[in-house]
Amino acid sequence: MVKALIAITSYNEVFYDDGAKTGLFFSEALHPFLVFKEHNYDVEFVSETGIVGYDEHSLSPDFLNGKEAEVFNDKNSDYSVSISKIKKASDVNADDYKIIYFAGGHGTVYDFPQATGLHKIAQQIWKANGVVAAVCHGPAIFDGLNDPENPNKLLVEGKTITGFTNAGEEIMGVVETLKKKNLGSIEDLSTRLGAKFSPPSAPFEEHSIAEGRLVTGANPASASSTAVKAIKALSS
């Protein structure tokens, strides 16, 4: 059975002005999990430290309702059981996986750029002709992620990617928070890394793109299509 690895942030501290914590954006882990399972993939979770905590806004009724709420609240659901067995990056054998998918949530901007364990896994999967995918704030992983075949070059340099936009950050009211904490946006990061940024038609509209084996999605609405394109990229 082909295996996919969903990588998530370990960061889970207060971020929002209302005192809510950031961390993993729930749907951005659940949706790819369901897509991979539907295509008969074995799916596992990893974070740099083996810890997971949720973005509290992603658990609000606006985002968490219906079937998703059922899955989240059912501790025996496939998703809940799988994420409860989350691995530490240093305990992962990258050779076991064909796809690594970086989920989002603002927590990623804190730990993904320094997540050398996750960087190493992504490089090994890429070098073995696997797929590297990221959605929303997941592309924070590209900061410091070198191309294993050209160590002096970043993996996304010269490539077209997408991710959460500056306009989206403004709508969420966190622009000043990011500035105050000296954290950049994904859109600004893309430019700094030498990638071409492809925004969605509107901040929360579905938008995902594949450039060869590099697949990115713009926002929570793009989590499923990013996984679908990752599977197609692997098969092609």
Side-chain angles (χ1 to χ4, degrees):
M1 186 178 283
V2 183
K3 293 179 83 172
L5 190 63
I6 298 176
I8 61 182
T9 179
S10 296
Y11 189 86
N12 191 218
E13 302 296 336
V14 172
F15 173 75
Y16 300 101
D17 287 345
D18 62 3
K21 291 180 178 181
T22 190
L24 167 64
F25 202 91
F26 170 66
S27 65
E28 292 174 21
L30 175 65
H31 291 175
F33 178 84
L34 295 176
V35 169
F36 291 136
K37 281 289 191 181
E38 190 182 321
H39 287 79
N40 297 314
Y41 277 63
D42 188 6
V43 190
E44 292 178 347
F45 289 92
V46 64
S47 70
E48 186 70 9
T49 65
I51 292 169
V52 56
Y54 289 103
D55 182 296
E56 291 177 332
H57 283 189
S58 78
L59 304 180
S60 70
D62 287 346
F63 292 106
L64 185 63
N65 49 61
K67 188 176 179 181
E68 291 181 2
E70 284 178 32
V71 170
F72 180 78
N73 291 316
D74 179 2
K75 299 310 171 192
N76 295 312
S77 68
D78 275 356
Y79 170 87
S80 295
V81 171
S82 294
I83 203 163
S84 72
K85 297 175 181 175
I86 188 168
K87 294 183 174 182
K88 186 178 179 180
S90 58
D91 294 333
V92 164
N93 180 2
D95 295 338
D96 292 343
Y97 308 91
K98 295 294 187 184
I99 296 174
I100 186 166
Y101 182 111
F102 291 91
H106 280 94
T108 65
V109 300
Y110 286 89
D111 72 332
F112 273 9
Q114 295 82 36
T116 53
L118 294 178
H119 282 159
K120 186 178 177 183
I121 296 167
Q123 286 175 317
Q124 288 179 251
I125 289 173
W126 182 266
K127 195 171 183 179
N129 293 315
V131 172
V132 174
V135 71
C136 201
H137 289 87
I141 197 64
F142 298 135
D143 190 359
L145 179 58
N146 293 325
D147 184 337
E149 279 134 14
N150 187 352
N152 295 320
K153 184 179 179 183
L154 293 168
L155 185 65
V156 296
E157 196 175 320
K159 296 184 176 79
T160 300
I161 65 172
T162 190
F164 203 61
T165 62
N166 289 344
E169 303 289 16
E170 286 179 18
I171 290 169
M172 291 193 71
V174 297
V175 173
E176 287 308 312
T177 301
L178 289 170
K179 282 181 183 173
K180 189 168 61 181
K181 295 178 182 289
N182 211 20
L183 299 165
S185 69
I186 298 301
E187 185 171 348
D188 291 348
L189 174 67
S190 302
T191 304
R192 180 163 64 80
L193 299 182
K196 181 182 176 186
F197 189 79
S198 170
S201 56
F204 292 93
E205 288 294 311
E206 187 276 325
H207 178 60
S208 57
I209 54 176
E211 182 156 331
R213 293 180 289 113
L214 183 70
V215 184
T216 49
N219 46 41
S222 311
S224 292
S225 66
T226 302
V228 169
K229 286 179 179 170
I231 291 168
K232 286 181 180 174
L234 184 64
S235 63
S236 63

